[in-house]
Amino acid sequence: MRVKLEEREIETNVKDDALVKQRREEIIQAASKIFTEKGYHLATIRDICKASGLGPGTLYNYIKKKEDILYLIYNQLTMMLTQCLVETIENTKKDPYEQLKEALSKTIDIIWDYQDLILLMYQETASLDRESMHNILKRESDYVALWERILERGEKQGMIIRRTRMDADIIGFLLAFIPLRRWNLKKKFREEEIKSGLIDFVIQALGISKRKK
């Protein structure tokens, strides 16, 4: 199964695609750290250059403005979240119950590992330019559509008892509960309790029966 993700082209002065990919990964890693420490608006290109070890002239060969870096971070995160669902859908040997649990577990693990950046996405979406915003919103729609495919398979095989048109949207964004509520959650629960609690909540809310009746 292949999912073609719409991407916004970011201008570069470098013709070597492999080098562009490598340097942008270095920029993303450095900027992610700076943005989460200082906030997107207070972070400067100078800060990112220092953290990445790239000079301003070199950095501007791979991006044209700070907003490009923010988009690259969003792009990387949405690709990871989408790809984990694609891989789960491709594994048709698992029954819909196990497939849903796997999708939830893998997605939650990504969100857990990138909590600061997921929170940044929610806080700074308005800082994206119009083209980037359109692209990211399209990515979100594709992400929700993948959850819909997983749920439809469970419904067809009689494992999902309760279904509404909103379920895929709810699940897709319910998992962002982790970074949005993490300060309070971590005072009360261990990591595994939070992860398993979310999975159990979704499964019970859908009224899923493990075996087809």
Side-chain angles (χ1 to χ4, degrees):
M1 172 185 177
R2 294 181 61 84
V3 174
K4 182 174 176 56
L5 297 177
E6 181 179 335
E7 292 193 43
R8 177 175 79 77
E9 184 176 354
I10 294 176
E11 291 183 46
T12 175
N13 299 326
V14 180
K15 304 301 182 184
D16 186 333
D17 291 341
L19 183 58
V20 170
K21 183 178 180 180
Q22 177 188 332
R23 288 286 183 257
R24 283 183 174 171
E25 182 60 33
E26 292 169 1
I27 293 167
I28 288 170
Q29 293 299 320
S32 296
K33 184 173 183 293
I34 297 299
F35 289 165
T36 55
E37 287 177 354
K38 301 185 71 170
Y40 172 72
H41 293 286
L42 292 178
T44 65
I45 290 293
R46 184 185 297 274
D47 293 327
I48 297 167
C49 287
K50 184 177 179 180
S52 66
L54 300 174
T58 301
L59 185 140
Y60 279 117
N61 280 328
Y62 300 96
I63 55 100
K64 296 303 176 187
K65 53 184 187 280
K66 190 170 75 167
E67 289 82 356
D68 288 344
I69 304 175
L70 184 63
Y71 170 75
L72 287 172
I73 293 172
Y74 277 50
N75 182 59
Q76 185 182 71
L77 282 169
T78 53
M79 285 187 72
M80 284 192 295
L81 290 167
T82 300
Q83 188 57 38
C84 92
L85 293 184
V86 170
E87 291 171 0
T88 303
I89 290 170
E90 287 177 336
N91 187 4
T92 55
K93 291 182 179 179
K94 291 194 172 184
D95 69 36
Y97 175 84
E98 295 299 333
Q99 191 178 64
L100 176 60
K101 284 193 69 173
E102 181 180 299
L104 289 167
S105 180
K106 286 184 175 181
T107 302
I108 288 170
D109 284 344
I110 292 172
I111 290 174
W112 187 273
D113 290 342
Y114 292 90
Q115 290 180 53
D116 288 335
L117 296 184
I118 298 291
L119 190 60
L120 178 74
M121 286 178 65
Y122 275 86
Q123 292 171 335
E124 300 298 343
T125 301
S127 299
L128 292 168
D129 58 67
R130 175 183 285 256
E131 185 181 359
S132 296
M133 177 79 79
H134 170 78
N135 179 269
I136 294 301
L137 291 176
K138 176 64 169 60
R139 290 284 190 88
E140 289 183 354
S141 296
D142 293 340
Y143 172 68
V144 170
L146 291 170
W147 281 112
E148 186 72 26
R149 289 188 61 171
I150 292 171
L151 296 179
E152 283 175 352
R153 183 167 179 252
E155 186 176 32
K156 287 177 181 177
Q157 295 195 26
M159 291 187 179
I160 294 180
I161 300 168
R162 174 194 174 277
R163 272 289 267 129
T164 74
R165 292 177 62 191
M166 290 178 59
D167 286 346
D169 283 278
I170 292 170
I171 292 171
F173 294 96
L174 173 65
L175 306 185
F177 169 79
I178 292 173
L180 294 173
R181 291 285 296 161
R182 62 182 175 174
W183 306 118
N184 188 272
L185 288 171
K186 289 180 180 179
K187 293 177 184 177
K188 300 177 182 178
F189 308 105
R190 292 178 289 107
E191 176 181 339
E192 286 309 312
E193 288 179 307
I194 296 170
K195 290 181 177 181
S196 63
L198 269 174
I199 292 172
D200 290 345
F201 181 86
V202 171
I203 289 173
Q204 290 180 37
L206 290 170
I208 291 178
S209 170
K210 186 171 183 179
R211 293 183 180 278
K212 183 176 178 180
K213 296 181 179 180

